[in-house]
Amino acid sequence: MKLTDQTLMQQMQISLPDIQRRKQLLGLTEEALAALATVRELIEPGLQDTVAEFYDYQTSVPEINNLIGDVDTLKRLKVAQHQYILDLFSGCYDSVYVNNRLRMDWCINVLG
């Protein structure tokens, strides 16, 4: 089977029981996941401002500003960061979540 026919989870041979075991090792019980989802409701209203402040600081550093390079990349980074944080507080850490995290890690490691 070609790599392009597989998810990153499949390529890395991470199964649903593996995800469950890792959640167990981290103490992510159903109660803890529900609590995280509750926290999301608290952070979501101010998140856009927080992400904007983060990138205002980041782009004040010349090396980081040069690395980001342009307004379109900055906009994409802000959207991705916003979604990443919301996903952290979703309370749902399933195969979709894991594949998204693996894809982000892959992009960071391969592209930059």
Side-chain angles (χ1 to χ4, degrees):
M1 182 182 291
K2 296 185 297 188
L3 290 178
T4 52
D5 293 334
Q6 299 176 326
T7 66
L8 287 173
M9 250 180 75
Q10 290 168 325
Q11 291 177 27
M12 296 178 73
Q13 298 179 345
I14 300 172
S15 67
L16 293 176
D18 292 331
I19 295 171
Q20 287 302 109
R21 178 68 179 138
R22 291 172 190 194
K23 285 173 25 179
Q24 182 183 32
L25 289 170
L26 293 169
L28 292 175
T29 63
E30 291 303 317
E31 295 80 19
L33 297 176
L36 282 169
T38 301
V39 172
R40 178 184 170 143
E41 296 171 10
L42 299 174
I43 66 163
E44 193 166 7
L47 186 55
Q48 189 165 342
D49 291 340
T50 301
V51 170
E53 285 179 39
F54 173 79
Y55 279 105
D56 285 346
Y57 175 76
Q58 292 293 299
T59 56
S60 72
V61 177
E63 295 87 356
I64 296 173
N65 191 44
N66 289 338
L67 186 61
I68 293 172
D70 64 88
V71 70
D72 294 324
T73 299
L74 181 59
K75 285 179 187 175
R76 286 192 304 274
L77 285 169
K78 286 180 178 180
V79 168
Q81 185 73 26
H82 187 271
Q83 191 59 53
Y84 178 83
I85 293 169
L86 286 180
D87 289 349
L88 282 175
F89 293 95
S90 69
C92 181
Y93 305 103
D94 56 10
S95 61
V96 172
Y97 176 87
V98 172
N99 269 312
N100 286 338
R101 294 284 90 64
L102 291 172
R103 191 176 319 107
M104 265 188 211
D105 289 346
W106 181 87
C107 287
I108 290 167
N109 289 324
V110 172
L111 303 176

